[in-house]
Amino acid sequence: MDVAGDELADRIRALLAADGIEERRMFGSRVFLQDGKILVGARKGGVLLLRVDAEHGAELLLRPGVSRARMGGSGMSANWLDVSPEALRSDDELVAWLDIAREDLPAA
């Protein structure tokens, strides 16, 4: 990972600290898990990896700075989005994306 990814991970960690979130290194990213499921990840370049419901993801792709996540040159499923650093400038913007991920987290 790089400095921008580490800074995003620090911001996520601070915002989720009291929520019993587990943190791991996976896929070249720092991922944050809730109930054993990936909620979000901090990726290289300060990009937020976001897990969403596929139908909700189609709607979210219309927002500026959001694209279908890619890994190793291939597109990931419709459940995974990348949110650019430009869409995460303030903590309020980041909290809004974290809330979306929580709402769309698959049931246990």
Side-chain angles (χ1 to χ4, degrees), residues 2-3 7 13 31 43 47 50 62 74 90 98-99 102:
D2 60 4
V3 172
E7 288 174 357
R13 190 177 303 113
V31 297
R43 302 180 83 181
V47 172
L50 185 74
L62 300 174
S74 300
S90 73
L98 295 175
D99 288 345
R102 284 186 184 128

Side-chain angles (χ1 to χ4, degrees), residues 34-37 51 104-108:
Q34 182 175 320
D35 300 326
K37 297 178 183 91
R51 182 180 189 166
D104 283 5
L105 190 67

Side-chain angles (χ1 to χ4, degrees), residues 9-79:
D10 290 342
R11 290 175 63 202
I12 294 168
R13 190 177 303 113
L15 292 168
L16 297 178
D19 294 339
I21 300 295
E22 182 182 354
E23 183 178 340
R24 290 188 196 162
R25 283 200 172 276
M26 289 182 165
F27 317 118
S29 303
R30 177 66 65 176
V31 297
F32 296 83
L33 299 95
Q34 182 175 320
D35 300 326
K37 297 178 183 91
I38 296 174
L39 185 64
V40 296
R43 302 180 83 181
K44 185 177 178 179
V47 172
L48 179 71
L49 176 66
L50 185 74
R51 182 180 189 166
V52 296
D53 174 84
E55 286 184 32
H56 194 194
E59 173 190 328
L60 294 169
L61 281 170
L62 300 174
R63 293 188 185 188
V66 179
S67 61
R68 185 104 169 250
R70 300 188 66 76
M71 184 154 314
S74 300
M76 296 174 69
S77 76
N79 297 84

